Amino acid sequence: MYLTLDLLFLNMAEIPISQLDRLRDLKRSTGGFLNLNPIQRGGILTPEARKAVLDWADGYSICDFCDGVLECIKKPPVDDFVHKTMTCFIGADHVRLTNGAREAMYMVMHAVCKPGDVLLLDANSHYSAHIAAERHNLWVYEIPNNGYPEYKINEELYADKIEEIKRKTKKNPALALITYPDGNYGNLPDARKIAKICSDYDVPLLVNAAYAMGRMPVSLKHLKADFIVGSGHKSMACSGPIGVLGLSESLSDVVLRKSKNYKNKEVEMLGCGPRGLPLITLMASFPKVYERVKHWDDEIKKARYFIDEIEKIEGIKQLGVKPTQHDLNFLETKVFHRISEKHKKGGFFLYRELKKRNIIGVKPGLSKNFKLSTYGFKKDEIKKIIEAFKEIVQIK
Amino acid sequence: MYLTLDLLFLNMAEIPISQLDRLRDLKRSTGGFLNLNPIQRGGILTPEARKAVLDWADGYSICDFCDGVLECIKKPPVDDFVHKTMTCFIGADHVRLTNGAREAMYMVMHAVCKPGDVLLLDANSHYSAHIAAERHNLWVYEIPNNGYPEYKINEELYADKIEEIKRKTKKNPALALITYPDGNYGNLPDARKIAKICSDYDVPLLVNAAYAMGRMPVSLKHLKADFIVGSGHKSMACSGPIGVLGLSESLSDVVLRKSKNYKNKEVEMLGCGPRGLPLITLMASFPKVYERVKHWDDEIKKARYFIDEIEKIEGIKQLGVKPTQHDLNFLETKVFHRISEKHKKGGFFLYRELKKRNIIGVKPGLSKNFKLSTYGFKKDEIKKIIEAFKEIVQIK
């Protein structure tokens, strides 16, 4: 041997037992609570996925019968799922699985843009779209929203901004992006209208649908955009991390280009996407996810009912476009803020009071405003949350 | 609303029931078999991880108490685990969690190299190192191995090749990489010697330890390299996908640079690493993984016993450096190939005969040569595998 075993062991550091002990018996303490955190609502596993979890939890379980391309595995039926079911579900010509929505956005930016190119995005974009752009050294131009209280994106501004970019840089932005809906206000811009504008200028459009795909109907074909990304752990009842990238034919050859030397491996995928359990949960949950998307109207009704009731409390107001178009909503809660100013726990009072009532998901310390989601709650749970809010405003 | 619900639903495609039915009741069919596939041996969950799985399977479960940086989460103790336990375990100044070893290699290449730069790697590199380089438009120079039957990397060649690159390109390679061990032969080059050479030339070195970290002791401090990557699903008893990146201080500021506008987000991480269950399994398995690494010598003994026994069969020979230094080994099996030439099932006979004996993990169709791993098998299981090989060579 090059290195003797003795030498290897000699250089192994001792880890204090106390550090190891902290890793024993890890329990999630949030079970049984009503969790208002928008990132937690759409990723709750279906019973079907939960049932599959233990069978597939080991490392590369999904790769038992792989011939070299994860997405072409026949057993379990990944090939069929990715190339038929998912393409149909989101109206895409091609689908790829990624490690998340942000990784999918980066893939597209990296493939379609060169460093120094311009990316045009909406002011309501997720921070990870900005970071992906920064990683690839893109210049970011932003479509502003209309500010308080709607924070609405005016679709027409995409034309104005493209014109401005052309004037300033002598060329088109390399890519445009719209967040559909955004993760702060749940505003749903007319992505189809934006796609039409972008298409007229020959600018490819990426739709960040991390809060849409798996919750509400989305169709790349209907939107007539070039790319759409979704998030399994955010909105498709999956264990993280897993994302979905849908592509229309237009630029798919650029994003899905194969390696020069490894003929069955795609470069932007680094050869293979998410290797493991999250994909099994995506597949196992899918029939229920497909079904729940058909009941999106009920989720909207529920969200509107919640907002209507909660706005009856003086000093609570939903920001963003009204009536709400999504389960994710942003509340301005002046009444809680007023209480916090006098309360001995300050802003933390709200977290504590909610928790007392079995409700979590509002970040500890927040009281002035926060976002929440009503997705997947039953009617009586919604009522319980409304009741809790009504009680808490009584606190002196 | 911008888009009416009716219009959304109208554009939702119908998915045939038969496609949905294929996703119901997904079962892994390989349970109970002795699985020789090297990618499957080190990722089998510990009972401790298995116990944690259902509690943490939902989407973003790990992010219940996140303040904006996944790796700084206090509950569960991610912060402590990443910044104290893992750094200690692999002798690194910094550790980051990634979506896999390949994603970690790409991160380093992307941060440290510019497109057009030269990457120097060993001929035994994993394909994903090549694809990562291709994604970032690097020129790849390769250290050859010494060919059949050892396929050994001569460490001294790193100096020769750096000299050659300097002559040809007028500058140093931007990064060097060594695969430790490689995934075909399980050869363990002297990474420390290579690090010394690279350091003398001022070339940063990345150690791909996807088959080492979590199986055998590794220490970045001892190797004196700049980066080391590991794979949770390959070698650390984790659900995929998750990887580990260890960094020495040297170039950590480049790889871990923060976003200009999002002060707590790292650009190469796209803000956050693996958001979900795999990280819980990494933490829950860790005490056992730490313990098993201390018994690496037993794994070597077992692998050598297996090879000794299997080589008693005429027409079976271990390729790669001898005696073997790793649980992953490559067998040349002329005897199976001879059988396949007359067998009505051709090369597939081996897969079928092994499966009859409750053994899987050799790719269907292979008979001339294949790799396997003895990692984690009990002594009687090893004997069963040896017995099976001895029986199968008797087939006419």
Side-chain angles (χ1 to χ4, degrees):
Chain A
M1 293 188 79
Y2 302 92
L3 287 169
T4 67
L5 280 172
D6 286 354
L7 196 59
L8 280 179
F9 285 124
L10 199 66
N11 283 285
M12 193 176 163
E14 197 66 34
I15 297 175
I17 301 245
S18 62
Q19 271 170 245
L20 297 174
D21 281 346
R22 298 198 64 194
L23 301 172
R24 296 189 210 280
D25 211 19
L26 297 172
K27 282 217 183 342
R28 192 175 178 199
S29 59
T30 56
F33 286 85
L34 300 178
N35 196 334
L36 301 178
N37 190 342
I39 68 168
Q40 301 290 0
R41 300 297 321 146
I44 298 170
L45 258 56
T46 59
E48 290 77 4
R50 196 164 281 277
K51 200 177 144 208
V53 160
L54 283 178
D55 219 22
W56 297 88
D58 291 337
Y60 276 102
S61 61
I62 205 159
C63 310
D64 279 327
F65 301 102
C66 182
D67 257 341
V69 182
L70 178 84
E71 289 169 352
C72 295
I73 291 172
K74 299 275 189 292
K75 190 179 159 186
V78 183
D79 183 31
D80 191 74
F81 174 71
V82 170
H83 300 113
K84 282 190 194 165
T85 308
M86 278 304 299
T87 48
C88 181
F89 182 56
I90 60 171
D93 291 318
H94 305 276
V95 163
R96 289 297 180 273
L97 304 173
T98 68
N99 291 314
R102 66 187 71 193
E103 287 83 355
M105 289 195 285
Y106 177 72
M107 266 177 75
V108 172
M109 290 179 200
H110 187 263
V112 169
C113 312
K114 291 188 307 293
D117 277 353
V118 168
L119 170 72
L120 175 59
L121 48 64
D122 60 296
N124 294 344
S125 289
H126 193 249
Y127 83 85
S128 63
H130 287 268
I131 308 256
E134 189 173 351
R135 190 182 193 193
H136 194 41
N137 284 307
L138 302 181
W139 290 103
V140 171
Y141 280 68
E142 214 172 76
I143 307 283
N145 58 44
N146 69 353
Y148 184 93
E150 278 195 315
Y151 301 98
K152 185 176 161 178
I153 299 293
N154 176 351
E155 295 83 4
E156 309 284 355
L157 292 182
Y158 273 79
D160 300 350
K161 210 67 174 183
I162 292 172
E163 291 288 354
E164 179 192 329
I165 291 164
K166 283 170 69 175
R167 270 197 316 274
K168 286 190 179 165
T169 72
K170 312 289 173 216
K171 58 179 186 173
N172 265 343
L175 182 69
L177 185 151
I178 179 68
T179 317
Y180 177 85
D182 73 87
N184 267 329
Y185 310 103
N187 286 350
L188 267 179
D190 188 341
R192 195 165 192 242
K193 197 169 183 179
I194 296 168
K196 174 75 172 68
I197 293 169
C198 289
S199 166
D200 286 347
Y201 281 99
D202 211 16
V203 174
L205 178 68
L206 166 64
V207 179
N208 178 2
Y211 272 114
M213 193 188 295
R215 291 167 117 101
M216 54 178 274
V218 286
S219 165
L220 191 56
K221 281 200 196 341
H222 169 64
L223 297 176
K224 290 200 164 77
D226 299 86
F227 308 103
I228 189 163
V229 307
S231 165
H233 39 288
K234 205 166 239 173
S235 301
M236 304 180 85
C238 288
S239 296
I242 190 162
V244 174
L245 170 63
L247 309 93
S248 69
E249 204 56 61
S250 54
L251 285 163
S252 60
D253 57 332
V254 178
V255 180
L256 305 181
R257 72 194 181 282
K258 295 259 184 9
S259 162
K260 278 191 287 282
N261 296 315
Y262 301 85
K263 298 298 180 193
N264 60 353
K265 303 288 187 181
E266 286 170 3
V267 175
E268 291 295 341
M269 296 287 293
L270 292 175
C272 277
R275 309 163 285 290
L277 183 65
L279 173 49
I280 286 290
T281 61
L282 180 67
M283 292 197 295
S285 281
F286 183 78
K288 280 272 174 74
V289 166
Y290 174 59
E291 204 49 44
R292 79 188 193 183
V293 165
K294 293 181 183 169
H295 297 283
W296 175 240
D297 48 347
D298 294 333
E299 290 294 337
I300 297 290
K301 268 183 227 149
K302 198 200 305 170
R304 288 181 181 174
Y305 166 76
F306 175 79
I307 297 296
D308 283 349
E309 289 299 309
I310 223 79
E311 285 194 332
K312 288 180 186 163
I313 302 171
E314 211 187 300
I316 297 190
K317 181 178 166 180
Q318 177 226 328
L319 304 188
V321 172
K322 290 170 87 73
T324 182
Q325 307 159 307
H326 200 271
D327 60 271
L328 183 157
N329 284 289
F330 192 90
L331 298 183
E332 182 187 55
T333 52
K334 289 183 178 165
V335 55
F336 290 146
H337 186 57
R338 276 196 298 270
I339 296 171
S340 79
E341 287 177 324
K342 294 177 188 169
H343 199 283
K344 62 178 189 289
K345 299 287 178 192
F348 290 86
F349 96 95
L350 181 59
Y351 177 80
R352 298 171 66 104
E353 291 295 331
L354 285 169
K355 197 168 175 192
K356 265 191 220 168
R357 290 163 179 84
N358 228 34
I359 297 165
I360 55 168
V362 174
K363 220 172 172 173
L366 292 187
S367 69
K368 206 171 183 174
N369 53 48
F370 50 87
K371 55 186 180 174
L372 52 68
S373 159
T374 47
Y375 194 76
F377 283 128
K378 299 192 194 78
K379 196 71 184 257
D380 64 314
E381 293 172 325
I382 292 288
K383 285 188 173 157
K384 216 182 131 184
I385 298 162
I386 294 166
E387 256 344 283
F389 275 60
K390 286 184 179 168
E391 280 174 32
I392 296 171
V393 293
Q394 304 299 329
I395 290 173
K396 302 290 169 202
Chain B
M1 291 189 79
Y2 302 93
L3 286 169
T4 67
L5 281 172
D6 286 355
L7 195 59
L8 280 179
F9 286 124
L10 198 65
N11 282 285
M12 193 178 163
E14 197 66 34
I15 297 176
I17 300 245
S18 62
Q19 271 169 244
L20 297 174
D21 282 346
R22 298 198 63 194
L23 301 172
R24 296 190 210 280
D25 211 19
L26 296 173
K27 283 218 182 339
R28 192 174 177 198
S29 60
T30 56
F33 286 86
L34 300 177
N35 195 335
L36 302 177
N37 190 343
I39 67 168
Q40 301 290 0
R41 300 298 321 147
I44 297 170
L45 258 55
T46 59
E48 289 77 4
R50 197 165 280 278
K51 199 177 145 210
V53 159
L54 283 178
D55 219 22
W56 297 88
D58 290 337
Y60 276 103
S61 62
I62 206 158
C63 309
D64 279 328
F65 301 102
C66 182
D67 257 341
V69 182
L70 178 84
E71 288 168 353
C72 295
I73 291 172
K74 299 276 190 291
K75 190 179 160 186
V78 183
D79 184 31
D80 191 75
F81 174 71
V82 170
H83 300 113
K84 283 191 194 165
T85 307
M86 278 303 299
T87 48
C88 181
F89 182 56
I90 61 170
D93 291 317
H94 305 275
V95 162
R96 289 296 180 275
L97 305 173
T98 67
N99 291 314
R102 66 187 70 194
E103 286 83 356
M105 290 195 284
Y106 178 72
M107 265 177 75
V108 171
M109 291 180 200
H110 188 264
V112 169
C113 314
K114 291 188 305 294
D117 277 352
V118 168
L119 170 72
L120 175 58
L121 47 64
D122 60 297
N124 294 344
S125 290
H126 193 249
Y127 83 85
S128 63
H130 287 268
I131 308 256
E134 189 173 351
R135 191 182 193 193
H136 194 41
N137 284 307
L138 303 180
W139 290 102
V140 171
Y141 279 68
E142 213 173 76
I143 307 284
N145 58 43
N146 69 354
Y148 184 93
E150 277 195 316
Y151 301 97
K152 185 176 161 177
I153 298 294
N154 176 350
E155 295 83 2
E156 309 285 355
L157 292 182
Y158 272 78
D160 300 350
K161 211 67 176 183
I162 292 173
E163 290 288 356
E164 180 191 327
I165 292 164
K166 284 170 69 176
R167 271 197 314 276
K168 286 190 178 164
T169 71
K170 311 289 171 216
K171 58 179 187 174
N172 267 341
L175 181 70
L177 184 153
I178 179 67
T179 318
Y180 177 84
D182 73 88
N184 267 329
Y185 310 104
N187 286 350
L188 267 179
D190 188 341
R192 195 166 192 243
K193 197 170 184 179
I194 296 168
K196 175 74 172 69
I197 294 169
C198 288
S199 166
D200 287 347
Y201 281 99
D202 211 17
V203 174
L205 178 68
L206 166 64
V207 179
N208 178 1
Y211 272 114
M213 193 187 295
R215 291 166 117 100
M216 54 178 275
V218 286
S219 165
L220 190 57
K221 282 199 195 340
H222 170 63
L223 297 177
K224 292 199 164 75
D226 299 86
F227 308 102
I228 189 163
V229 307
S231 164
H233 40 287
K234 205 167 237 171
S235 301
M236 304 181 85
C238 289
S239 296
I242 189 163
V244 174
L245 170 63
L247 309 94
S248 70
E249 203 57 59
S250 53
L251 285 162
S252 60
D253 57 332
V254 178
V255 180
L256 306 181
R257 73 192 180 285
K258 296 257 184 10
S259 163
K260 278 192 286 283
N261 296 315
Y262 300 86
K263 298 296 181 194
N264 61 352
K265 303 287 187 182
E266 287 170 3
V267 175
E268 290 295 341
M269 295 288 292
L270 291 175
C272 277
R275 309 163 287 288
L277 183 65
L279 173 50
I280 286 290
T281 62
L282 181 67
M283 293 199 295
S285 281
F286 184 79
K288 280 272 175 75
V289 166
Y290 175 59
E291 204 48 44
R292 79 188 192 183
V293 164
K294 293 182 183 169
H295 297 283
W296 175 240
D297 49 346
D298 293 334
E299 289 293 338
I300 297 290
K301 270 183 224 146
K302 198 200 306 172
R304 287 181 183 174
Y305 167 76
F306 176 78
I307 297 295
D308 284 350
E309 288 300 310
I310 222 79
E311 284 194 332
K312 288 179 186 162
I313 302 169
E314 211 186 300
I316 297 190
K317 182 179 166 179
Q318 178 226 328
L319 304 187
V321 173
K322 289 171 87 72
T324 181
Q325 307 158 304
H326 200 271
D327 60 272
L328 183 157
N329 283 289
F330 192 90
L331 299 183
E332 182 187 57
T333 52
K334 288 182 178 165
V335 56
F336 290 146
H337 186 56
R338 276 196 296 272
I339 296 170
S340 79
E341 287 176 325
K342 293 177 187 168
H343 199 285
K344 63 178 189 291
K345 299 286 179 193
F348 290 86
F349 96 96
L350 182 60
Y351 177 79
R352 298 170 66 104
E353 290 295 332
L354 285 169
K355 197 167 175 192
K356 266 191 220 166
R357 291 163 179 84
N358 230 34
I359 297 165
I360 56 167
V362 174
K363 217 170 173 174
L366 293 185
S367 68
K368 205 171 183 172
N369 53 48
F370 50 86
K371 55 185 180 175
L372 52 68
S373 159
T374 48
Y375 194 77
F377 281 129
K378 300 194 192 78
K379 197 71 185 256
D380 64 314
E381 292 172 326
I382 292 288
K383 284 188 173 156
K384 216 182 132 185
I385 298 162
I386 295 166
E387 255 344 282
F389 275 59
K390 285 184 179 167
E391 280 174 32
I392 296 171
V393 293
Q394 305 298 329
I395 290 173
K396 303 290 170 203

